Amino acid sequence: MHTRDGTRLFLYDSASRGSVLFAPADPERVRIYTCGPTVYRYAHIGNLRTYLLTDLLVRTLRVLGYGTFAVQNITDMGHMHQEQLEEGEDKVIAAARAAGKSAREIAAFFTEAYFRDCRRMAFLPADAYPRASEHVPEMIALVRALEERGAVYGGGGYLYFDVSKVPGYGALSGAALGEGAPAERTDPGGHLHKKRPEDFVLWMPAEPGREFQWDSPWGRGWPGWHSECAAMAIRHLGPEFDLHVGGIDLRFPHHENSRALATVATGKRFAALWLHAAHLLVDGKKMSKSAGNEYTLDDLETGPPGGGKGFSAVDFRYYCMTLHYATPMNFTWVGQAAAARARSRLLAAFRRAALAATSGEDAAAASRLEFREAISDDLNMPRALAVVHKVLRSGIGGEAARALATEWDAVLGVGMLSEAECDSGVGGVREGEAEEIPAEVAAMAQERESRRRAGDYPAADALRERIRAAGYDVLDAAGGAAVLRKIG
Ligand SMILES: [Zn+2]
């Protein structure tokens, strides 16, 4: 199968461990689920590198002519165990608690902080951001379905999933039965009742003082982590969808277990393909709060600990794209500085090329194809960036350069156009070419924004679909305001 423009898209599927020719069920609506942030702390640059994978995937699909529907959950419960606070693992929660904040207030604060980070990273907004705390009825229904299929057992107020009921359990991650660690981040007190290490908790009693808790057929309590994601994915994308994205550290146990319980509950396949982003280290070391190297975007803006120039989120985005997403990344300040210089050279070169007389159309056409081949080869951004740098040395100029910048920045998102317009005085020229947005599209965008602000996401999503049907799309720009842009 070919994509709409003749380029075939290959993706590396972590589950089957091979390159797969992408063939979505519905090319007009490629359905994507990404495991989103746990909103009790700021996202660090390793988290953001993982979310960049989804952004590059969605942008690539759109440039290749697909329609997308992307869902990213917000994990807004869990991680509030007293034990963790006492161990001092999460100082932010401890501090917020000390200041008299509720878990809900903390979650709301860090959810906003996360969205701000996404805008700074130039991520396209997801089509839905389901909150775990708002999907507990779906999680309970999922566990009921598992119960009916005899895949559940209980003890001590805990309800467990019996992985021996899943044919092929372990195939996604390569984990061998009986060898895994009793991996369960949300099961502090219930290990005693588990029959085997891989079995995992579906429902557990609420410890004293827990703010998020619900009534269920198994008593008052709260759901396990794996059932959260499975229930939200099924609710928003159906029992079978195209792509599941996350960090490699989530492959086991989280993704193995989400898939196991979703397939048993529904009898369907769940995700067709699994994409995993590799780890990010800092100066060769794992990031941790105690080592002081768990950097956020604010830390990058401040600059190296010993002093020196800071870097923007988009500089970091560029740095990430100099490596393939499945290659482990070692963040260093020297590497970040080099990436920022490369980005700045790229923007300056495009600025000059855009102002020059039109030339190099043949080189532009060849490069356009090469760029598409690179992104179609498992989102190979280092190769795509090499194409971009190469064409700038080929004497391309004028309209040919501007057309490439438009198409390429729709994938790269490094500000090739905005900076070219702002910094060079080309703004007037571009303004003259700017298309008038039809009044009814502008009105729909305005209505969507007010619905979104009011928290009426279904209505906002429906409006966005209508805007897309009219040939436009809304993007939440760096400043936070929604802007319209012509599709294609
Ligand atoms: Zn998840």
Side-chain angles (χ1 to χ4, degrees):
M1 185 225 147
H2 288 238
T3 56
R4 337 312 284 299
D5 75 339
T7 310
R8 302 194 307 164
L9 172 62
F10 285 90
L11 294 169
Y12 182 84
D13 173 34
S14 284
S16 61
R17 287 170 190 70
S19 181
V20 173
L21 179 57
F22 184 59
D26 178 4
E28 301 294 334
R29 190 181 158 93
V30 175
R31 287 163 299 164
I32 303 162
Y33 187 86
T34 304
C35 288
T38 299
V39 285
Y40 289 109
R41 56 174 176 260
Y42 290 106
H44 58 59
I45 56 175
N47 301 138
L48 294 168
R49 187 195 183 202
T50 296
Y51 304 135
L52 174 63
L53 168 55
T54 299
D55 187 61
L56 294 174
L57 173 67
V58 168
R59 286 168 173 269
T60 294
L61 287 167
R62 291 206 196 165
V63 162
L64 295 180
Y66 293 100
T68 56
F69 188 82
V71 174
Q72 184 174 55
N73 74 292
I74 303 284
T75 300
D76 60 354
M77 54 187 180
H79 288 281
M80 296 296 283
H81 295 297
Q82 200 56 38
E83 300 93 307
Q84 283 185 327
L85 298 186
E86 281 160 10
E87 286 167 17
E89 274 185 18
D90 206 327
K91 300 252 172 33
V92 176
I93 296 176
R97 280 271 164 129
K101 300 282 185 205
S102 69
R104 257 173 227 284
E105 286 169 328
I106 298 167
F109 173 84
F110 285 108
T111 302
E112 275 314 305
Y114 173 65
F115 287 149
R116 179 166 173 262
D117 283 346
C118 290
R119 292 192 295 270
R120 290 152 97 189
M121 288 290 291
F123 292 163
L124 299 182
D127 298 280
Y129 289 104
R131 268 70 164 175
S133 68
E134 293 168 5
H135 290 73
V136 176
E138 286 92 334
M139 295 166 201
I140 291 174
L142 184 74
V143 178
R144 292 289 293 230
L146 296 171
E147 234 177 359
E148 282 165 24
R149 284 159 182 76
V152 170
Y153 63 91
Y158 287 78
L159 212 60
Y160 292 100
F161 181 73
D162 179 352
V163 304
S164 72
K165 296 291 194 293
V166 190
Y169 179 82
L172 193 161
S173 61
L177 276 181
E179 289 176 7
E184 193 52 76
R185 72 171 189 180
T186 55
D187 185 13
H191 294 309
L192 288 177
H193 308 280
K194 288 211 293 193
K195 290 181 186 163
R196 57 185 73 73
E198 293 83 5
D199 288 353
F200 55 92
V201 72
L202 295 167
W203 189 265
M204 60 203 131
E207 72 275 21
R210 160 162 284 276
E211 192 180 321
F212 285 109
Q213 48 172 287
W214 291 265
D215 284 322
S216 82
W218 319 284
R220 204 161 168 77
W222 60 300
W225 176 34
H226 313 307
S227 41
E228 289 177 14
C229 266
M232 286 185 277
I234 293 168
R235 160 77 175 73
H236 291 272
L237 298 171
E240 297 198 345
F241 55 94
D242 301 295
L243 292 151
H244 197 305
V245 183
I248 189 70
D249 53 320
L250 295 183
R251 193 165 67 164
F252 186 85
H254 182 49
H255 289 163
E256 188 77 58
N257 291 350
S258 303
R259 179 167 85 159
L261 53 85
T263 50
V264 171
T266 66
K268 305 274 188 181
R269 183 196 56 201
F270 202 51
L273 299 180
W274 293 77
L275 265 57
H276 287 106
H279 290 293
L280 180 145
L281 300 172
V282 168
D283 297 319
K285 297 187 201 75
K286 195 172 166 9
M287 276 187 293
S288 73
K289 282 217 173 83
S290 53
N293 64 356
E294 204 178 84
Y295 294 140
T296 63
L297 292 182
D298 285 342
D299 293 327
L300 296 199
E301 279 185 4
T302 305
K309 188 178 167 299
F311 301 97
S312 72
V314 178
D315 284 332
F316 174 64
R317 180 183 170 102
Y318 187 97
Y319 187 11
C320 290
M321 290 191 296
T322 63
L323 290 163
H324 186 254
Y325 72 83
T327 303
M329 175 169 176
N330 183 26
F331 176 94
T332 64
W333 290 100
V334 171
Q336 174 62 86
R341 281 195 302 275
R343 172 174 170 252
S344 150
R345 274 199 306 273
L346 183 80
L347 300 185
F350 258 104
R351 198 155 55 219
R352 280 194 302 274
L355 287 168
T358 295
S359 65
E361 280 98 335
D362 289 350
S367 301
R368 187 169 180 267
L369 189 61
E370 277 180 60
F371 183 92
R372 286 186 174 228
E373 282 168 358
I375 60 174
S376 303
D377 177 14
D378 197 25
L379 316 175
N380 194 327
M381 295 303 148
R383 222 173 96 195
L385 283 177
V387 173
V388 174
H389 283 279
K390 192 179 82 179
V391 77
L392 284 167
R393 295 191 295 269
S394 72
I396 186 174
E399 186 45 45
R402 287 196 292 272
L404 284 184
T406 306
E407 177 167 329
W408 291 350
D409 208 52
V411 176
L412 302 173
V414 293
M416 279 155 77
L417 281 177
S418 54
E419 302 222 0
E421 287 163 25
C422 303
D423 297 351
S424 65
V426 191
V429 179
R430 302 288 300 168
E431 227 166 74
E433 295 169 3
E435 252 178 293
E436 193 100 335
I437 308 251
E440 67 271 21
V441 175
M444 284 192 283
Q446 210 166 28
E447 177 66 12
R448 173 192 174 263
E449 183 60 13
S450 64
R451 294 297 180 100
R452 203 172 66 84
R453 281 174 192 274
D456 185 359
Y457 298 107
D461 290 344
L463 280 158
R464 186 174 182 192
E465 282 309 307
R466 283 173 56 200
I467 293 165
R468 284 182 177 176
Y472 289 80
D473 200 357
V474 272
L475 301 178
D476 292 316
V483 294
L484 281 164
R485 150 168 126 166
K486 185 106 179 156
I487 294 173

